[in-house]
Amino acid sequence: YSDADRNARHVAMADEAVHIGPSAARESYLVADRIIDAARRTGAQAIHPGYGFLSENAGFADACAAAGNVFIGPPADSIRAMGSKSEAKKIMEKAKVPLVPGYHGDDQSPELLAAEAAKIGFPVLIKAAAGGGGKGMRVVESAEKFADALAGAKREAKASFADDHVLVEKYLTRPRHIEIQVFADASDCLYLFERDCSLQRRHQKVIEEAPAPGMDPARRKAMGEAAVAAAKAIGYRGAGTVEFIADQDGTFFFMEMNTRLQVEHPVTEAITGQDLVEWQLVVAAGGKMPLTQNELRIDGHAVEVRLYAEDPARNFLPSTGTLVHLKLPDEGAHVRVDTGVRQGDTVTPFYDPMIAKVIVHDRDRASAMRRMAVLMGETEVVGVTTNAGLLKG
């Protein structure tokens, strides 16, 4: 834990807690040596990197191995392969995974990029090759606006990732964002169906559901097999997510691969009845996945919402302060709540402002959505502004 987390819920719940530095993540949670030292001091054999910070850091995976710790995640080479969006596209092209029409080359001259954009056809999307979270991303509607958008995207990419390399892709105006949960052990790779993450704000997911509405068996199989091909192409192990964008006509294209467990994995757990973290531990220990592809089934429908300390009326700016009053939904047969805070805790500016994830599982989509709307209406947070009203709607 860092200085900011000294009184946090996860610290109180832990059997052992190790202080790793100041509040700023770059001085604590992002310092690999401090994490590895904490493992050494406590006698830990393995390190689970969670969802963020060092979870997709190949250097950290290498450092764990060098220190004799098992990194509960994919091989470092798999992380590196998917760490650059442009390199990932090249690998996927070789593996015959469908790609959005675009330019992913090394020549970054503005003239060439503008020419490639014109060849693709507007609107186009400029994306930071080393990016994520919407940083270094611009939608460009016309050739006249391309130069300014490119300069802005490169500036932001350089500031966020120390790398201003970008790629240019066709921008789909009404796409669906569908991701496939993949899992691999030393001898097999399978998919645990899909999640629809189309509802986002500022390129960050807000509501996720599984299975995707309107998904037919043939398309599910095609997307699942494409995701498995992507994972196999980089020698993947453990839990990962292959993200696709799907057009109105049923076509789909590879977008990126997240080489970690996703924040929204509980909806997959709900519809499959499987514990993906348990699967991670088993595979990291050298074991095999407990089920084969043909043994997996979909049961009902699950929805996850992310309750954030943020102000929808102010472009979703984070809201900080003390949680003077907090009433989250009660957990039960249909409801799961994942949270790291309690009443009285402080939402600081140092980390992600998510208060909780609320997951509902029911017999069908309509039932799950109705149940979620009721739960959000009953959620009470005083001390910070939240997006609960938006989630209820």
Side-chain angles (χ1 to χ4, degrees):
Y1 64 92
S2 70
D3 287 347
D5 281 342
R6 190 176 298 278
N7 299 312
R9 185 175 186 238
H10 71 273
V11 179
M13 292 174 68
D15 294 321
E16 296 180 72
V18 179
H19 179 250
I20 55 168
S23 301
R26 65 181 179 277
E27 299 175 40
S28 50
Y29 291 110
L30 288 171
V31 182
D33 289 346
R34 295 192 180 183
I35 307 299
I36 291 170
D37 182 61
R40 180 190 60 77
R41 289 162 60 185
T42 56
Q45 297 171 303
I47 297 176
H48 193 300
Y51 305 129
F53 293 131
L54 297 171
S55 64
E56 292 185 273
N57 187 303
F60 181 60
D62 282 334
C64 287
N69 288 115
V70 173
F71 177 75
I72 304 176
D77 286 347
S78 296
I79 299 175
R80 287 191 184 91
M82 291 294 105
S84 164
K85 285 184 171 61
S86 54
E87 287 304 310
K89 302 278 186 184
K90 293 174 186 175
I91 295 169
M92 294 303 107
E93 194 169 29
K94 286 183 183 176
K96 299 192 173 3
V97 177
L99 295 178
V100 180
Y103 173 75
H104 317 118
D106 295 326
D107 188 336
Q108 292 286 293
S109 68
E111 296 78 15
L112 177 79
L113 292 171
E116 290 292 339
K119 192 186 302 181
I120 295 164
F122 291 92
V124 299
L125 181 65
I126 303 172
K127 294 199 309 192
K135 300 287 195 303
M137 187 179 290
R138 298 287 190 281
V139 176
V140 189
E141 301 288 347
S142 65
E144 294 75 25
K145 297 178 180 178
F146 187 81
D148 286 345
L150 175 63
K154 279 185 166 289
R155 276 196 306 272
E156 194 171 321
K158 184 74 172 176
S160 300
F161 313 111
D163 182 352
D164 69 354
H165 194 108
V166 299
L167 48 86
V168 183
E169 293 180 343
K170 180 68 179 173
Y171 181 68
L172 304 182
T173 54
R174 294 187 63 195
R176 290 175 63 193
H177 183 137
I178 296 177
E179 57 188 32
I180 307 294
Q181 176 70 61
V182 294
F183 216 104
D185 58 25
S187 59
D188 194 16
C189 183
L190 51 75
Y191 62 95
L192 290 96
F193 312 116
E194 78 283 349
R195 299 184 286 258
D196 191 310
C197 306
S198 301
L199 188 55
Q200 305 184 13
R201 54 96 175 100
R202 288 189 286 119
H203 304 291
Q204 293 277 28
K205 300 165 191 172
V206 178
I207 297 178
E208 300 101 357
E209 56 183 307
M215 178 68 78
D216 63 72
R219 192 180 186 200
R220 173 174 291 126
K221 185 172 186 289
M223 293 185 77
E225 290 177 349
V228 167
K232 286 182 174 180
I234 58 169
Y236 205 75
R237 297 288 182 274
T241 302
V242 183
E243 302 198 7
F244 295 97
I245 49 175
D247 210 349
Q248 303 293 309
D249 62 3
T251 56
F252 61 90
F253 308 99
F254 172 85
M255 186 166 64
E256 63 184 358
M257 183 174 184
N258 293 292
T259 52
R260 56 179 167 85
L261 193 69
Q262 293 280 87
V263 173
E264 59 272 20
H265 77 274
V267 292
T268 296
E269 294 187 329
I271 65 164
T272 61
Q274 302 302 310
D275 184 332
L276 296 184
V277 177
E278 182 181 1
W279 281 38
Q280 283 189 299
L281 297 174
V282 168
V283 169
K288 298 177 72 66
M289 294 179 290
L291 296 177
T292 64
Q293 188 69 65
N294 290 335
E295 292 174 316
L296 287 164
R297 297 287 183 273
I298 294 176
D299 172 30
H301 198 92
V303 180
E304 173 181 299
V305 299
R306 303 187 190 191
L307 179 65
Y308 279 104
E310 62 182 16
D311 189 350
R314 300 180 61 210
N315 197 28
F316 299 97
L317 284 173
S319 175
T320 59
T322 300
L323 296 168
V324 178
H325 173 72
L326 178 64
K327 181 180 180 296
L328 297 174
D330 293 328
E331 292 192 299
H334 295 276
V335 182
R336 168 176 167 176
V337 178
D338 290 358
T339 184
V341 297
R342 303 158 296 187
Q343 183 169 299
D345 285 353
T346 300
V347 178
T348 74
F350 298 106
Y351 314 124
D352 189 281
M354 186 162 63
I355 294 172
K357 300 183 302 180
V358 179
I359 303 98
V360 161
H361 180 226
D362 218 314
R363 63 183 177 274
D364 54 39
R365 186 171 189 259
S367 302
M369 290 294 185
R370 280 195 299 269
R371 190 181 293 275
M372 184 64 79
V374 170
L375 293 177
M376 286 299 100
E378 295 173 349
T379 297
E380 300 171 2
V381 184
V382 178
V384 296
T385 304
T386 75
N387 63 339
L390 177 72
L391 298 175
K392 179 184 176 184

